[in-house]
Amino acid sequence: SHPPLCPPGIKCGGVLSAPSGNFCSPNFPGPYPYETECTWLIVVAEGSSVLLSFSHFELEYHATCAYDYLQVYNGASRDPGNLLGTFCGHSPPPTFSSAWHVMAVVFRSDRHVAKRGFTAAYRKGSGEGWRWSICPSVLPHHPHHLPNDAECRWSIGGAGSGGPITLVFADFHVEGGQGCGFDYVALFDGLTTAAPRLGRYCGSTRPPRTISTSPHLLVLFKSDFNIGGRGFKAHFYSAGECQEVFTNIKGNFSSPRYPNFYPNNLNCQWSIQLPPGYRVKVFFLDMELEGRSSLTGSCDYDHLSAFDGSTENRSLLGRWCGRENLAPVTSRSNQLLLVLHTDRNTAKRGFSISYVGVVPMNVSCTRTDFHIQIPVRSLARLERNRVYLGTPSCVAQVVGGNFKIHTRFDTCGTESQKRNNTSVLISTLYIDFSVGDQEDIHQYEVQCEPKRKEASVTLIVGPDPSRLSQAENLVDAEQQERGATDAHEIKSQDTSDIIFISICILAGLLMVIAVVGLVLL
């Protein structure tokens, strides 16, 4: 049979404001053009809904519809949170009814392979909200009706997640009734209804956040012959995606579903807890969240916060949103908490973060020596031969609860370099955390400017170097204060330098006097 023809003068997109009508892809029933994007905005009377159906559908197929595709949005905004579905191939989309009086349809083609396209018809509905003609194959991410006299099941987890599942209802309106005997949503802690029941809900109150004890969670929706309410919207994530504690010296993590859009209504926490003495340095490799409020200029919507400790009542190190290139953030203690909050609207790509535990150390120098001191408690699991300067022969000594390295510039691989037209002496401090076959050696560049007797230390190998582009300068006011405890050791060396210089000056003066005396004679 021949597909129905569209009206003459087919347009690529536009506003459709009649109570009913139809539209189709450009050139239909011929192949649609390459590299085309069309957006139709369907607007009917306020208080009504848009009923949308497809009578012919033939687009280039791809497993994720990455080439040619058609998208349907619940409303005018192309916000991912309003996306009802993305479709391609030969299977037509289901029949939709919008939750508002506006619906958007987007068609896009790439530069390869053109098919015949689609035809669609719309009309004004009663405004009861949108529905699918069958149970969706995945848990609904938008509030919607489900069919009358139906039983729908969604099994969550099991695809390598391994941990408990957290389920969050962003919207909920299911026909009530005493004991939820008509329509209801039930949750089970496992794969089947034989598993322990976690809850049974109906009415208009959102169910509480639910966390399974197993890596599986079953969502069951049951309706009677006379369904009421607009349905529900929910999302889920595994514990490892959204609630995690890190104790390794270095690591990385990202927002749920990164680099895809994160879910709405999240409150995720990542706690980094390192041995005493360490500080936590966080590097923001990528970040894109919902932007600042146009009214307040603040991060009032989706935002990422860092706290100097293990709870949200500790000092706030920063709060960010939008798309920014952020400088690294360093804690003042051995713990740091990151919290991601998202609201019910607008999702973005999220973030990717790397962190490293900064070994607390004091580095100083004279005109002839390096002095390095690291608290043993910070490296409690390491033997002293795992801490060395330049070469393994220049190992640390354990003195009074500290690893100490005191070495002259002419040893331990120290070399002279010119930096910013200044002569400096450079060596490398190695701290070997390797276990078995897993090599893990942190390297710090130790630098001294002898004339000014100023030292600095920079982390050059810690997190994966390919992902970390910013060097780590560890000398700050806090370390300098900590270094005051060793001032008497450095002072004795400085005193010897002063005496040596004084003797040289006196000898020079005596030589000048002697020469002058000989000339006069």
Side-chain angles (χ1 to χ4, degrees):
S1 62
H2 297 284
L5 295 177
C6 274
I10 300 171
K11 295 182 179 179
C12 176
V15 178
L16 307 175
S17 56
S20 64
N22 50 52
F23 59 98
C24 54
S25 53
N27 295 343
F28 186 86
Y32 48 74
Y34 299 124
E35 295 189 293
T36 297
E37 181 167 323
C38 309
T39 300
W40 291 271
L41 194 63
I42 306 170
V43 183
V44 295
E46 286 195 36
S48 303
S49 63
V50 179
L51 302 177
L52 178 69
S53 61
F54 295 85
S55 55
H56 180 83
F57 193 83
E58 184 184 351
L59 273 60
E60 180 185 7
Y61 174 77
H62 181 262
T64 60
C65 297
Y67 305 142
D68 301 349
Y69 59 80
L70 182 137
Q71 293 180 319
V72 180
Y73 288 88
N74 195 18
S77 171
R78 289 178 61 173
D79 184 325
N82 290 334
L83 179 64
L84 303 183
T86 300
F87 307 95
C88 63
H90 292 258
S91 298
T95 299
F96 291 103
S97 175
S98 68
W100 300 287
H101 68 293
V102 179
M103 178 178 281
V105 179
V106 179
F107 167 68
R108 185 185 180 280
S109 65
D110 64 7
R111 63 177 61 190
H112 305 289
V113 186
K115 299 291 185 179
R116 296 175 69 184
F118 67 90
T119 61
Y122 75 91
R123 63 181 175 86
K124 183 179 73 171
S126 63
E128 293 180 350
W130 70 276
R131 71 178 68 228
W132 292 75
S133 58
I134 57 172
C135 289
S137 60
V138 296
L139 193 68
H141 291 278
H142 354 268
H144 75 286
H145 283 286
L146 290 164
N148 294 337
D149 190 25
E151 181 174 298
C152 301
R153 300 186 182 206
W154 299 273
S155 182
I156 304 171
S161 60
I165 301 296
T166 299
L167 180 69
V168 178
F169 287 90
D171 194 7
F172 192 87
H173 196 282
V174 174
E175 181 184 8
Q178 188 173 6
C180 296
F182 302 120
D183 300 346
Y184 61 85
V185 173
L187 310 177
F188 297 88
D189 195 7
L191 287 169
T192 68
T193 54
R197 194 172 77 183
L198 298 173
R200 179 168 170 164
Y201 307 101
C202 62
S204 58
T205 302
R206 275 193 299 159
R209 182 187 302 260
T210 301
I211 304 175
S212 70
T213 62
S214 73
H216 301 275
L217 189 146
L218 178 67
V219 179
L220 169 68
F221 173 80
K222 184 75 172 66
S223 69
D224 63 8
F225 289 94
N226 185 24
I227 189 170
R230 64 175 176 268
F232 64 90
K233 169 185 177 182
H235 62 261
F236 65 91
Y237 47 83
S238 65
E241 284 186 292
C242 195
Q243 308 284 336
E244 197 158 4
V245 177
F246 297 93
T247 57
N248 292 334
I249 299 301
K250 63 181 180 180
N252 53 71
F253 54 91
S254 56
S255 52
R257 302 180 185 170
Y258 177 87
N260 297 316
F261 291 109
Y262 49 75
N264 294 328
N265 294 291
L266 289 180
N267 188 37
C268 300
Q269 295 190 353
W270 294 269
S271 180
I272 305 170
Q273 303 177 9
L274 302 184
Y278 277 88
R279 290 177 297 142
V280 182
K281 185 126 189 174
V282 170
F283 300 87
F284 300 90
L285 308 178
D286 181 32
M287 192 182 84
E288 184 184 9
L289 305 179
E290 183 179 3
R292 295 177 180 271
S293 165
S294 59
L295 296 176
T296 66
S298 302
C299 296
D300 297 334
Y301 308 131
D302 301 350
H303 56 263
L304 178 68
S305 303
F307 298 89
D308 192 18
S310 59
T311 62
E312 293 184 56
N313 58 11
R314 303 304 295 269
S315 298
L316 181 67
L317 297 174
R319 184 176 182 179
W320 308 279
C321 59
R323 186 171 186 174
E324 300 182 43
N325 292 320
L326 300 176
V329 171
T330 306
S331 68
R332 291 182 286 271
S333 68
N334 62 319
Q335 298 185 18
L336 185 144
L337 177 68
L338 284 159
V339 178
L340 172 65
H341 170 81
T342 68
D343 61 14
R344 63 186 304 165
N345 299 310
T346 308
K348 296 291 183 180
R349 187 172 65 246
F351 65 81
S352 176
I353 280 176
S354 181
Y355 77 89
V356 63
V358 176
V359 176
M361 66 178 74
N362 292 312
V363 178
S364 57
C365 65
T366 67
R367 287 186 171 83
T368 58
D369 300 75
F370 273 125
H371 295 260
I372 301 171
Q373 179 173 297
I374 304 172
V376 168
R377 66 173 187 166
S378 300
L379 307 174
R381 293 172 292 177
L382 298 186
E383 299 293 333
R384 68 182 185 90
N385 63 354
R386 297 288 195 98
V387 182
Y388 54 91
L389 185 68
T391 63
S393 60
C394 292
V395 298
Q397 304 297 318
V398 179
V399 180
N402 293 300
F403 290 111
K404 288 191 175 183
I405 298 177
H406 179 189
T407 181
R408 295 183 63 84
F409 292 150
D410 56 1
T411 60
C412 299
T414 303
E415 60 181 36
S416 178
Q417 293 184 9
K418 277 274 190 181
R419 294 192 178 178
N420 298 325
N421 296 321
T422 302
S423 295
V424 294
L425 292 153
I426 305 293
S427 191
T428 302
L429 175 68
Y430 296 89
I431 303 177
D432 188 353
F433 291 98
S434 302
V435 177
D437 296 333
Q438 295 292 321
E439 184 177 280
D440 185 12
I441 302 175
H442 293 202
Q443 299 177 30
Y444 296 79
E445 182 185 83
V446 182
Q447 175 180 313
C448 177
E449 188 179 338
K451 288 184 179 180
R452 302 174 64 179
K453 290 186 282 189
E454 290 185 353
S456 65
V457 57
T458 301
L459 176 68
I460 53 177
V461 176
D464 182 356
S466 66
R467 302 185 68 192
L468 186 61
S469 60
Q470 303 178 52
E472 150 81 40
N473 195 314
L474 305 181
V475 171
D476 55 21
E478 181 185 348
Q479 288 184 317
Q480 291 169 5
E481 289 172 10
R482 206 184 292 130
T485 58
D486 299 315
H488 65 281
E489 297 180 13
I490 309 304
K491 191 176 290 183
S492 62
Q493 183 68 42
D494 291 349
T495 304
S496 65
D497 290 347
I498 294 169
I499 294 171
F500 175 76
I501 293 169
S502 300
I503 291 172
C504 291
I505 294 171
L506 181 59
L509 288 172
L510 290 173
M511 288 180 64
V512 170
I513 292 169
V515 170
V516 171
L518 288 173
V519 170
L520 292 175
L521 291 173

